[in-house]
Amino acid sequence: MTTLSLRVLNRALMDRQFLLGRTDRTPLEVIGRLVALQAQEPNWAYVGLWSRIHGFTQSELTALLEDRRVVRSGLLRSTQHFAAADDFRRLRPLLQPVLDRMAGSPHFTRNSTGLDAASLVAEGLGLLAGGTLSRKELARLLAERHPGRNGRILAGQVELRTPLVHGVATGAWGSWGNRSAVSVTPAEVWLGQPMATATTAKDSAKELIRRYLAAFGPAGVKDVQAWCGLTRLGEVVTQMHAELRRYRGPDGRELIDLADAELPDPETIAPVRLLPAFDNALLGHADRTRVISDEDRKRVMPGQAQVRPTFLVDGQVHGTWSLDAGTLRLTPFRPLRATDRAALEQEADRLLHFVGSGAVSYSDAVAARR
């Protein structure tokens, strides 16, 4: 098997993530290529699309939410994501075991001892009555029925165990951070059609792997599993033997890819890019060294589910950035060449225009290297 260098893997990831050059594809097409965009804090997903699409505006994604062509709900890794409505309808049942696993963690089970999970879900759906409630109201009603238990945690367990879609306001461009006022509606009601069946969900595992490779490949089975949260996908990959190409990674691991997927020239220039918090490019693999070193990973992902906004230089994470009181503050991890510094400041200015703020600064004195 051909052995691929880290640089080849980096350029493949940059190309498939639309980070070698912005695309003219529609936001819906880009979300479909990426499978889903993490939207725990919705504004970041808008920045992620801005970094990938020529002339992207906030109103384009908001319109997709209003038209119910894109939904916000729990999906990959039990986390809130934006996904194309049809993808969500087909993939959420496949990924349901991951969400069930989270719902079975001590945080939830300590609060629901003696309660049957299926009965709790049925109760929650009964309270929704085919309509919409705020999370707070659902929690209040569940707490009334189960004195002494935390209604918020009960409502969270219901939301994990059955697909509920969030209202448009929850995902629309607006305030930064998590949204406090979240409304939930049963997915089948919101989408106007049933979710895929369990049998169909099993069949869609191969599709999920194909979609993953189109956006993140070449990659190993452990990478796919880290991205989606599912396990035992090696068995599915074995069944796909005839349609996949195999490589070796720099560490000797076997990597798989779509048979017809092309690898870009490793000497292709990768422009400076500002990525949002929780960006797909950083969360798509178990081994993330193709885009971020292990040392820098500790700075970007310091724990407590944090994934800080980053900027790329030559396709690699070179630092973080933050936005506060109208100032975009850049924190390089290493000195920047003068040309890279200039390109980074230009890109930061463009991002400020997108978010409606107005100044760029550096958080520490990193001298430009001539």
Side-chain angles (χ1 to χ4, degrees):
M1 286 185 283
T2 302
T3 297
L4 303 179
S5 67
L6 274 181
R7 187 173 178 87
V8 169
L9 294 175
N10 173 268
R11 290 307 189 259
L13 177 64
M14 294 296 102
D15 183 43
R16 298 182 195 191
Q17 290 282 313
F18 303 113
L19 294 171
L20 282 185
R22 285 183 168 90
T23 182
D24 290 321
R25 298 191 189 193
T26 68
L28 186 61
E29 289 172 328
V30 171
I31 293 170
R33 160 67 81 85
L34 303 180
V35 186
L37 289 174
Q38 188 156 326
Q40 193 79 3
E41 299 181 19
N43 278 11
W44 291 124
Y46 286 77
V47 174
L49 291 176
W50 170 86
S51 70
R52 291 166 165 86
I53 301 173
H54 282 296
F56 172 74
T57 62
Q58 293 99 330
S59 62
E60 292 178 273
L61 178 53
T62 300
L64 290 172
L65 291 166
E66 291 171 343
D67 294 342
R68 305 192 181 188
R69 300 176 71 191
V70 167
V71 299
R72 181 180 188 259
S73 183
L75 195 61
L76 300 168
R77 303 180 302 277
S78 305
T79 305
Q80 309 305 323
H81 280 74
F82 288 135
D86 193 52
D87 283 344
F88 178 78
R89 188 182 67 81
R90 289 181 293 108
L91 295 178
R92 170 66 188 249
L94 172 67
L95 297 167
Q96 189 57 51
V98 182
L99 288 94
D100 288 340
R101 189 165 66 235
M102 174 63 74
S105 66
H107 172 73
F108 293 98
T109 56
R110 281 194 299 263
N111 185 63
S112 58
T113 302
L115 293 180
D116 175 69
S119 298
L120 177 62
V121 169
E123 187 175 28
L125 290 174
L127 292 170
L128 286 162
T132 299
L133 288 176
S134 69
R135 272 181 174 168
K136 291 181 179 179
E137 180 64 7
L138 180 59
R140 186 187 68 78
L141 293 172
L142 287 170
E144 283 183 354
R145 285 158 177 74
H146 301 282
R149 302 180 193 267
N150 186 314
R152 182 183 60 81
I153 296 176
L154 291 176
Q157 190 172 3
V158 170
E159 191 171 339
L160 284 167
R161 292 193 180 278
T162 192
L164 303 179
V165 172
H166 300 165
V168 174
T170 304
W173 176 265
S175 61
W176 293 89
N178 289 318
R179 306 291 167 85
S180 58
V182 178
S183 63
V184 293
T185 307
E188 293 189 351
V189 174
W190 185 265
L191 299 174
Q193 55 184 317
M195 302 293 285
T197 64
T199 301
T200 306
K202 292 178 182 178
D203 294 339
S204 64
K206 292 181 181 179
E207 179 195 354
L208 183 68
I209 292 170
R210 295 185 194 103
R211 297 278 298 279
Y212 169 83
L213 292 173
F216 297 94
V221 173
K222 289 184 179 179
D223 294 315
V224 188
Q225 294 181 161
W227 168 74
C228 68
L230 292 170
T231 58
R232 302 181 67 178
L233 290 181
E235 301 172 9
V236 182
V237 168
T238 298
Q239 297 170 15
M240 300 172 67
H241 177 80
E243 62 177 283
L244 299 177
R245 182 180 298 171
R246 283 167 166 72
Y247 298 101
R248 292 285 180 199
D251 58 359
R253 288 189 309 134
E254 182 180 84
L255 305 179
I256 56 174
D257 200 8
L258 299 172
D260 60 352
E262 297 183 1
L263 299 178
D265 184 339
E267 299 309 311
T268 303
I269 294 173
V272 165
R273 285 289 182 264
L274 275 76
L275 300 183
F278 312 107
D279 191 79
N280 277 35
L282 270 64
L283 297 176
H285 304 85
D287 178 1
R288 299 168 183 171
T289 53
R290 69 186 66 197
V291 66
I292 184 170
S293 69
D294 290 334
E295 177 185 358
D296 289 345
R297 182 173 174 174
K298 295 174 185 176
R299 302 182 185 186
V300 173
M301 306 170 193
Q304 297 182 326
Q306 293 184 70
V307 182
R308 291 170 175 158
T310 59
F311 62 83
L312 304 180
V313 175
D314 194 30
Q316 289 282 333
V317 170
H318 203 97
T320 59
W321 62 273
S322 60
L323 189 63
D324 182 44
T327 298
L328 194 157
R329 193 172 300 278
L330 298 161
T331 306
F333 295 155
R334 290 166 292 283
L336 291 159
R337 295 181 302 174
T339 53
D340 292 331
R341 188 182 184 101
L344 179 61
E345 290 174 0
Q346 290 175 1
E347 187 75 352
D349 281 334
R350 287 190 284 267
L351 178 57
L352 284 170
H353 179 74
F354 176 77
V355 301
S357 298
V360 177
S361 69
Y362 287 87
S363 64
D364 55 359
V366 177
R369 186 169 60 222
R370 298 185 182 278

